[in-house]
Amino acid sequence: QAELLPSLVVHSLGRGKAVRLAADHGLVSVHCDDIAYTNDMAHTRLAIVARAQLPLAGAENTRVLAFRPEAGGREHLALVIGDPEPPGPVLVRLHSECLTGDLLGSLKCDCGDQLRGAIAAIGKHGAGILLYLAQEGRGIGLLNKLRAYELQEQGRDTVEANLELGFMDDQREYGIGAQILNDLGITTMRLMTNNPSKYGGLEGFGLRIVDRVGLQVVPNPENLTYLRTKRERMGHLIEGLD
């Protein structure tokens, strides 16, 4: 994924004519069937490229496994805490990376608090899996997330900013996460999330969710509007905002 601002010119041409036109102008010709095939294959071909013990605060008995799409792309991590027993039910959290929140401690979102809270909760439970997915900025990438921040400074909420940049309100998809869970032998889970849209994203790949475990954080003045937008416009189940 190039994580560039979307731009598209659509014109109806026969495949042969499109290939010739592209060749004449130094362009790349890609058929829609090839795009669909590539998207499908991205979910099904993953390889473990590294694994190690990784003691964490709140979950010292943790192993990390790095998964890489065989067709190329960024690595995704599975933090296996304790000894979860497949096929489950296993306590599972899917967490999309957020450099500003997870690493820098940004107050604009709740991502870092959710990450650390989930690790601590799974550690206290004794076993489970946290997937750390390379889907920065709800899937639009770091630079576009910063562009969205700039629009938010001008009065847009997070949904409006994404739409104005040409993206959906949430570009994430969970096929790779589902494949990682399948590779680990997990087919039944207790899903730790406030986001009901993750249900369809996982159950559509044959996984079964038997319970939802909420993950509540304490809001601050900088992220209160952000959290309310997630609740009111995106359907997240967040308490304690009123």
Side-chain angles (χ1 to χ4, degrees):
Q1 297 181 355
E3 297 179 347
L4 300 175
L5 291 175
S7 179
L8 183 66
V9 176
V10 179
H11 188 71
S12 178
L13 292 172
R15 188 163 191 174
K17 186 176 181 179
V19 171
R20 291 192 298 272
L21 181 64
D24 291 343
H25 294 276
L27 304 174
V28 176
S29 175
V30 180
H31 195 266
C32 57
D33 291 342
D34 298 327
I35 297 173
Y37 175 79
T38 299
N39 287 338
D40 289 341
M41 296 309 294
H43 302 320
T44 57
R45 292 184 177 176
L46 295 169
I48 297 176
V49 294
R51 65 179 77 206
Q53 289 296 123
L54 186 67
L56 300 176
E60 292 187 8
N61 183 18
T62 299
R63 291 173 291 131
V64 60
L65 289 78
F67 288 79
R68 177 184 293 159
E70 291 187 358
R74 299 186 59 194
E75 292 80 13
H76 309 270
L77 304 180
L79 300 178
V80 181
I81 298 171
D83 295 303
E85 297 182 5
V90 169
L91 185 59
V92 171
R93 164 73 179 165
L94 273 68
H95 186 91
S96 298
E97 70 176 346
C98 175
L99 182 143
T100 50
D102 297 342
L103 178 62
L104 301 180
S106 169
L107 299 177
K108 289 177 66 68
C109 65
D110 59 342
C111 302
D113 290 338
Q114 284 197 332
L115 174 63
R116 287 176 283 277
I119 291 172
I122 297 173
K124 184 176 181 180
H125 178 70
I129 295 173
L130 184 142
L131 301 187
Y132 195 80
L133 304 176
Q135 300 192 113
E136 177 77 51
R138 295 183 188 155
I140 68 175
L142 177 60
L143 294 182
N144 290 322
K145 181 174 78 170
L146 298 180
R147 293 184 178 109
Y149 281 176
E150 185 176 6
L151 292 176
Q152 290 168 42
E153 292 172 2
Q154 299 169 18
R156 284 75 156 182
D157 63 26
T158 54
V159 171
E160 293 165 345
N162 273 29
L163 295 177
E164 187 165 329
L165 288 173
F167 298 105
M168 295 185 292
D169 58 351
D170 192 338
Q171 291 271 144
R172 291 174 295 180
E173 51 83 24
Y174 299 102
I176 287 180
Q179 182 59 53
I180 291 173
L181 292 171
N182 273 308
D183 287 352
L184 296 175
I186 306 302
T187 58
T188 307
M189 72 192 74
R190 299 174 62 230
L191 185 63
M192 185 179 293
T193 186
N194 300 330
N195 182 3
S197 68
K198 289 184 181 178
Y199 276 65
L202 293 172
E203 291 178 331
F205 289 89
L207 302 178
R208 188 163 70 97
I209 300 168
V210 298
D211 188 23
R212 183 189 73 86
V213 179
L215 188 59
Q216 303 301 329
V217 300
V218 178
N220 67 71
E222 295 291 341
N223 67 16
L224 188 57
T225 298
Y226 163 84
L227 293 174
R228 284 174 174 162
T229 298
K230 288 209 296 186
R231 184 184 66 180
E232 295 165 10
R233 300 199 62 179
M234 304 179 72
H236 290 217
L237 304 174
I238 303 175
E239 302 173 358
L241 302 183
D242 301 316

